[in-house]
Amino acid sequence: MCVVGARPNFMKMAPLMAAFRDPAEPFECTLVHTGQHYDVAMSDVFFGQLGMQAPDIQLGIGPGSHGAQTGRMMAALEAVVAERQPDLVVVVGDVNSTLAAALVAAKAGVPVAHVEAGLRSFDRRMPEEINRVVTDALATFLFATEEDGVANLRREGVGDDRIFLVGNVMIDTLTALLPRIRDRAMAAEMGLAPGGYGVVTLHRPSNVDETAMLEAWVVALERIGSGLPLVFPAHPRTAARLADAGLDRRLAASGVRVVEPLPYVEFISLVADSRLVLTDSGGIQEETTVLGIPCLTLRDSTERPVTVMVGTNRLVGVEPEAAVEAVEGVLSGPRAPYAVPPLWDGKAAERIARVLRGARWQAYLTDPAALSGARAGPPEN
Ligand code: UD1
């Protein structure tokens, strides 16, 4: 049973579904959508583009506080797990749907596979960090995207027999769709010169929920936008906050183009032809790394340090003034060299399917004791 719920889940699950349903050796798969994201632009549009079949089960949970949303998801997922009796629950990423599914499966005695395991920002003020830590603590199979993820899991006491460094399924999707992305030419469609504009995304509660902070970002974007055209596909939460504070009109007056959330191919096409990206997203740090586009991350920490080590990502922090300076630095300096992290090669989902088809998986199925036995014990004094 594969569980998705929010926008960043879809591009991660699509290649997994394809690998699991490989006609040569298919798994019997059920795709469950919690309904955490429900707008067409945040959910439905991705299924068609990513070639992923519609969910078998749509739980329609929708918005709510973290407790209310996660609780409703758990109650609904518990019934589905009881009815379908899956042998394995596969979750991706770090959203509330990921956490809810991992908790329900673990309590029902069903092994959990967590794809994108081990990432840590070491900042528990981020709801995603709590989701990552708990999901990894409950998972049987931990599939890591990068070496840092492996090191974090080892430090938390996860045995090496559970950890699999397989690469990045999000990059599987990007690699597979790159020809379509290149053909899409969104910049031209929007009247933007390739290499001559910036893309902005902001949606972390810490950046957009408080009006003073949001306004500081708007001021910074106005300044940056006076020298570099900016396109800002706004997440619904950000669009609502901008409208509530009357800041949407101010951005529009300054020439910053606030647009609806874009479908996958359109968004990546826009990023691929941009001069730079300003973002607080996790996944975009990875996508810009592979595309070689300078990424200025508007956060104090990143759970994806490899994107800073080898890639094009730079942690700018949450001071708008620092972002303005960082943009000036990118625009005035030469393009920095970059590399793509190991195993970010478009084949991560295949590797995961191979592991799950392999001997360990059989052992877990036939010997439930192996579930607890494989976890490393407490450290010896
Ligand atoms: C969630 C994830 C975040 C991820 C982001 C990507 C968690 C804790 N957070 O944050 O890690 O980066 O998705 O988009 O799971 N809304 C709509 N329509 C939608 C979806 C959301 O209007 O289709 C609005 C609702 O008012 C909702 C708000 O956005 O209350 C926030 O949605 P929610 O799912 O709680 O969290 P995100 O901010 O989207």
Side-chain angles (χ1 to χ4, degrees):
M1 178 174 290
C2 299
V3 181
V4 291
R7 181 170 61 178
N9 290 162
F10 308 132
M11 40 291 230
K12 295 171 192 170
M13 195 58 89
L16 288 167
M17 294 300 292
F20 294 160
R21 288 181 163 152
D22 179 353
E25 221 181 337
F27 284 108
E28 206 180 301
C29 261
T30 304
L31 181 62
V32 181
H33 190 324
T34 63
Q36 178 176 346
H37 284 178
Y38 46 89
D39 285 357
V40 171
M42 296 295 286
S43 176
D44 300 12
V45 74
F46 292 92
F47 282 79
Q49 277 204 340
L50 300 173
M52 191 160 50
Q53 65 159 61
D56 301 291
I57 299 173
Q58 168 60 261
L59 300 176
I61 298 300
S65 68
H66 282 261
Q69 186 184 57
T70 310
R72 287 204 307 275
M73 284 177 198
M74 285 183 68
L77 283 165
E78 194 169 54
V80 173
V81 166
E83 189 211 318
R84 300 269 176 142
Q85 304 266 321
D87 297 310
L88 175 74
V89 168
V90 180
V91 295
V92 293
D94 55 17
V95 302
N96 286 345
S97 302
T98 311
L99 172 71
L103 277 166
V104 165
K107 291 199 174 201
V110 179
V112 174
H114 184 208
V115 175
E116 204 184 88
L119 297 184
R120 297 288 181 271
S121 66
F122 303 102
D123 179 358
R124 297 239 173 142
R125 289 168 304 179
M126 283 181 80
E128 293 82 2
E129 181 73 354
I130 295 166
N131 294 348
R132 292 180 202 117
V133 169
V134 177
T135 302
D136 284 341
L138 299 174
T140 301
F141 298 92
L142 297 109
F143 294 106
T145 52
E146 54 166 289
E147 284 286 358
D148 287 282
V150 174
N152 293 334
L153 293 171
R154 283 189 181 139
R155 207 176 313 115
E156 290 172 19
V158 181
D160 274 350
D161 53 347
R162 308 275 195 109
I163 307 173
F164 306 89
L165 181 61
V166 290
N168 192 328
V169 287
M170 195 166 196
I171 303 308
D172 290 8
T173 293
L174 198 153
T175 309
L177 293 182
L178 205 50
R180 266 175 67 196
I181 290 165
R182 296 282 181 209
D183 283 350
R184 187 62 184 80
M186 267 306 275
E189 185 174 312
M190 296 182 78
L192 296 158
Y197 63 93
V199 177
V200 181
T201 84
L202 274 177
H203 73 280
R204 298 261 151 238
S206 54
N207 274 329
V208 304
D209 279 4
E210 278 178 28
T211 305
M213 188 72 209
L214 186 59
E215 187 167 1
W217 284 121
V218 166
V219 171
L221 294 178
E222 280 175 346
R223 284 182 54 195
I224 296 166
S226 65
L228 180 75
L230 293 179
V231 185
F232 183 176
H235 183 289
R237 134 187 241 124
T238 312
R241 298 287 191 283
L242 285 170
D244 287 350
L247 293 166
D248 50 346
R249 289 191 300 276
R250 189 163 159 186
L251 273 179
S254 76
V256 175
R257 284 165 70 174
V258 180
V259 298
E260 297 278 308
L262 292 171
Y264 181 79
V265 170
E266 283 72 7
F267 181 73
I268 302 291
S269 165
L270 200 60
V271 167
D273 280 336
S274 70
R275 181 68 188 88
L276 56 83
V277 172
L278 290 152
T279 190
D280 60 6
S281 151
I284 296 171
Q285 297 172 44
E286 301 183 331
E287 289 158 340
T288 46
T289 283
V290 171
L291 294 167
I293 300 295
C295 178
L296 301 175
T297 296
L298 309 179
R299 288 171 43 188
D300 283 327
S301 61
T302 180
E303 60 287 338
R304 293 159 159 96
V306 75
T307 61
V308 177
M309 295 294 291
V310 310
T312 48
N313 189 19
R314 199 175 133 203
L315 267 187
V316 169
V318 292
E319 289 294 331
E321 187 60 37
V324 174
E325 278 168 28
V327 168
E328 283 162 7
V330 171
L331 295 181
S332 59
R335 288 231 178 204
Y338 72 98
V340 174
L343 301 176
W344 290 22
D345 58 359
K347 297 186 176 130
E350 265 173 50
R351 293 189 189 99
I352 291 168
R354 213 176 306 136
V355 169
L356 293 176
R357 287 191 179 101
R360 285 163 213 267
W361 163 230
Q362 298 301 335
Y364 287 121
L365 260 187
T366 53
D367 175 14
L371 268 177
S372 48
R375 174 78 64 184
E380 284 171 27
N381 285 325

